[in-house]
C-alpha cells in the first residue's frame, strides 16, 4: 500500500520546483518557531515547579500517613509526580503557544490595516 517510490519522487521534485515562498510565509514560519520555543520554555519551567510541588507532599505522605505507606509503592509515587509534571507542561505550553499566536495575528491585522 502507499505511493510507489517513482511517483513519490516525481511529486516531491515537482512540488519543490513550483512553490516559491513569499517573505510573509517565511515570517509566519519564523513566528511559529518562536512561539513553539517560547511554549516549550514556559512548559518546562512550570513542569519543574509542578514536579517539586507534587514530589514533596507525595514523599512525605508515604513516610507519615499509614494508608499511603501501605498502598503507594514506588511506581505509584512516580506516576503521581510525573502526571502532575506532564499536565503542567502541556497546559502551560498550549496556553503560551495560543497567546503567542493571538499576538502575532493581532500584529498582522495591524500591519494589514496600515498597508490600506
Amino acid at each position: 500500500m502507499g505511493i510507489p517510490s517513482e511517483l513519490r519522487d516525481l511529486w516531491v521534485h515537482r512540488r519543490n520546483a513550483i512553490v516559491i515562498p513569499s517573505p510573509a510565509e517565511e515570517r509566519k514560519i519564523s513566528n511559529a518557531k518562536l512561539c513553539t520555543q517560547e511554549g516549550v520554555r514556559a512548559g518546562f519551567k512550570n513542569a519543574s515547579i509542578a514536579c517539586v510541588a507534587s514530589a514533596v507532599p507525595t514523599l512525605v505522605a508515604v513516610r507519615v500517613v499509614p494508608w499511603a505507606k501501605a498502598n503507594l509503592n514506588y511506581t505509584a509515587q512516580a506516576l503521581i509526580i510525573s502526571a502532575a509534571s506532564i499536565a503542567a507542561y502541556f497546559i502551560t505550553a498550549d496556553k503560551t503557544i495560543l497567546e503567542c499566536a493571538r499576538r502575532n495575528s493581532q500584529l498582522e491585522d495591524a500591519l494589514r490595516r496600515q498597508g490600506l
Side-chain angles (χ1 to χ4, degrees):
M1 302 306 290
I3 300 173
S5 60
E6 298 88 22
L7 289 176
R8 185 189 66 224
D9 294 340
L10 179 65
W11 181 71
V12 168
H13 178 68
R14 189 176 292 171
R15 186 182 66 166
N16 289 337
I18 294 174
V19 177
I20 300 172
S22 71
E25 288 177 12
E26 291 175 3
R27 187 177 65 239
K28 286 181 183 181
I29 292 170
S30 174
N31 285 341
K33 286 181 183 178
L34 289 175
C35 287
T36 304
Q37 289 174 353
E38 188 177 327
V40 168
R41 262 188 246 112
F44 182 75
K45 184 177 172 183
N46 279 352
S48 301
I49 293 168
C51 180
V52 172
S54 64
V56 171
T58 302
L59 296 176
V60 168
V62 168
R63 306 289 185 287
V64 176
V65 178
W67 179 89
K69 187 182 271 190
N71 294 315
L72 296 179
N73 60 12
Y74 294 121
T75 305
Q77 295 170 33
L79 284 172
I80 291 169
I81 295 166
S82 63
S85 301
I86 292 168
Y89 174 82
F90 282 110
I91 291 170
T92 305
D94 186 48
K95 285 184 177 183
T96 305
I97 291 170
L98 289 174
E99 178 186 342
C100 186
R102 191 175 304 117
R103 237 183 330 183
N104 287 337
S105 175
Q106 290 172 351
L107 176 65
E108 286 193 16
D109 286 345
L111 290 174
R112 252 187 246 128
R113 284 190 212 122
Q114 284 180 350
L116 294 176

